[in-house]
């Protein structure tokens, strides 16, 4: 069976994530904490592999992009300058019966009425009023709602405030990682040998007080972003915008995503900072939704920060002596959404002699465990010792797992479910001829390989 066809495929992925240690609801023993999730032992490996691929593509493979890791907490003035304190909000309505707080644009959208989170309070309320009879609370079925109002998504904190009412002078957990890039643009310019056009890449946590928490890790209140800001000469924006669109699309194909499950969405109604914006959408089990945004931000951010900080953020072109505020092309992807996309893409169920084999056909680079090493029998010390010896050798180069529990068939099924591309078994023959059985996850074929050949064998396949 191919993925994304069954109505319940999201339930199956959520169940696999819990059962096999990819994703756990946060604070579960305290009945959970809405819209926050933890990555388990295999989840952290998969998320790290996604980040590694992104970081490699953005920094190692290019000579025009450098990395950064800015702090989560920043001066609150940054969020005023960026426009987030005033304008970073979603439309909210409350069901008067069950008091569920809901995103009004989503409610309208799900009833087939066009609405957008970027509409003003008045714009969205006009549409809401005209369609009241069509909207029911998804929680209790009532049709009695408060008028829509804008709800600010920035998460506030009392960091550094030891006196008085901190809510009057809050600090913020960053709502997007790119602001840390803008405020370090001058530092990077002065310390790294970069010349326009150049980029700064960063991976890090962002926080948003999302109104509705649904769809598993798709929309969470704490999440990780992989953002790259590309600084260009004014006027060159669209040339680079188109190049970045192509580059980012290819990135997902390289992660093993079928292009039939990807599409572009052009934003007609733009957020306050953008001049042009496209999303790469993935066909999640609940439909096509945004995975990454590519935005032409013009000189908005650097101009605002220059104005609010009083610092000059011009670039002096060494060739022409021209001075200008660079324009920015941004690529902004979510780790959690990419994680969910590659899992949805890889999840397969196969019928095998009346049994269902669940297998994650992740590309080897993304697989949490690359090689599982098994002694055929747990109670034969000579097999266990040999398998340990092979494991200790391979673990120097690849993330491996040693498993001597249960019968081999069960061990294979477990590794199939976490997407391990190769399982390797040490048996009695190994002790005679130094050969092991290597089983391929995708076609389940087995071959005998000499221990001395294993490194070459895996190097060409992982
Ligand atoms: N700096 C631009 C920016 O933050 P965005 O479209 O708001 O743009 C970019 O977010 C990406 O971050 C999204 O495409 C998505 O992958 C991820 N993202 C945003 N909000 C999220 C949330 N609440 N939960 C999980 N991922 C989120």
């Amino acid at each position: 069976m191919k993925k994304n066809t069954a109505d319940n495929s999201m339930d199956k992925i959520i169940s696999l994530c819990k059962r096999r240690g990819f994703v756990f609801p946060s604070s579960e023993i305290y009945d959970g904490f809405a819209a926050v999730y933890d990555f388990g032992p295999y989840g952290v490996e998969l998320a790290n592999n996604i980040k590694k691929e992104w970081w490699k593509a953005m920094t190692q493979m290019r000579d025009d992009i450098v990395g950064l890791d800015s702090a989560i907490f920043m001066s609150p003035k940054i969020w005023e300058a960026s426009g987030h304190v005033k304008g970073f909000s979603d439309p909210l309505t409350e069901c008067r019966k069950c008091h569920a707080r809901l995103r009004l644009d989503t409610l309208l959208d799900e009833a087939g009425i066009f609405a957008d989170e970027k509409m003003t309070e008045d714009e969205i309320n006009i549409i809401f009023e005209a369609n009241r009879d069509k909207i029911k609370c998804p929680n209790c079925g009532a049709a009695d709602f408060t008028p829509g109002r804008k709800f600010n998504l920035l998460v506030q904190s009392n960091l550094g405030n030891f006196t008085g009412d901190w809510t009057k002078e809050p600090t913020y957990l960053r709502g997007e990682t790119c602001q840390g890039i803008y405020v370090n643009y001058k530092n990077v310019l002065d310390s790294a040998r970069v010349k326009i056009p150049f980029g700064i890449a960063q991976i890090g946590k962002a926080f948003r007080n999302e109104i509705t928490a649904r769809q598993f890790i798709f929309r969470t209140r704490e999440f990780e972003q992989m953002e790259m800001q590309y600084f260009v000469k004014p006027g060159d924006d669209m040339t680079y915008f188109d190049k970045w669109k192509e580059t980012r699309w290819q990135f997902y194909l390289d992660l093993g995503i079928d292009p039939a499950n990807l599409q572009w969405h052009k934003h007609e109604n733009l957020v306050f900072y953008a001049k042009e914006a496209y999303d790469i959408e993935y066909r999640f089990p609940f439909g096509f939704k945004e995975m990454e945004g590519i935005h032409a931000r013009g000189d908005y951010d650097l101009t605002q920060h220059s104005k609010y900080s009083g610092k000059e953020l011009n670039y002096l072109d060494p060739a022409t002596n021209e001075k200008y505020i660079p324009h920015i092309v941004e690529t902004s992807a979510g780790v959690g959404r990419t994680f969910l996309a590659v899992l949805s893409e890889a999840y397969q169920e196969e019928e095998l002699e009346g049994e269902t084999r669940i297998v994650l056909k992740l590309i080897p680079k993304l697989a949490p465990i690359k090689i599982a090493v098994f002694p055929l029998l747990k109670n034969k010390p000579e097999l266990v010792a040999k398998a340990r010896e092979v494991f200790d050798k391979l673990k120097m180069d690849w993330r491996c797992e040693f498993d001597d529990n249960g019968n081999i068939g069960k061990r294979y099924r477990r590794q199939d479910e976490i997407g391990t591309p190769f399982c390797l078994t040490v048996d009695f023959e190994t002790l005679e001829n130094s050969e092991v059985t290597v089983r391929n996850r995708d076609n389940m074929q087995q071959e005998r390989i000499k221990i001395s050949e294993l490194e070459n064998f895996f190097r060409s396949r992982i």
Side-chain angles (χ1 to χ4, degrees), residues 176 178 208 210 218 220 223 225 227 290-291 330 332 334:
E176 56 177 6
C178 57
R208 295 181 189 178
E210 296 285 357
F218 178 80
T220 51
F223 56 97
Q225 289 186 313
E227 295 203 304
E290 173 185 349
M291 179 161 57
E330 165 184 67
S332 175

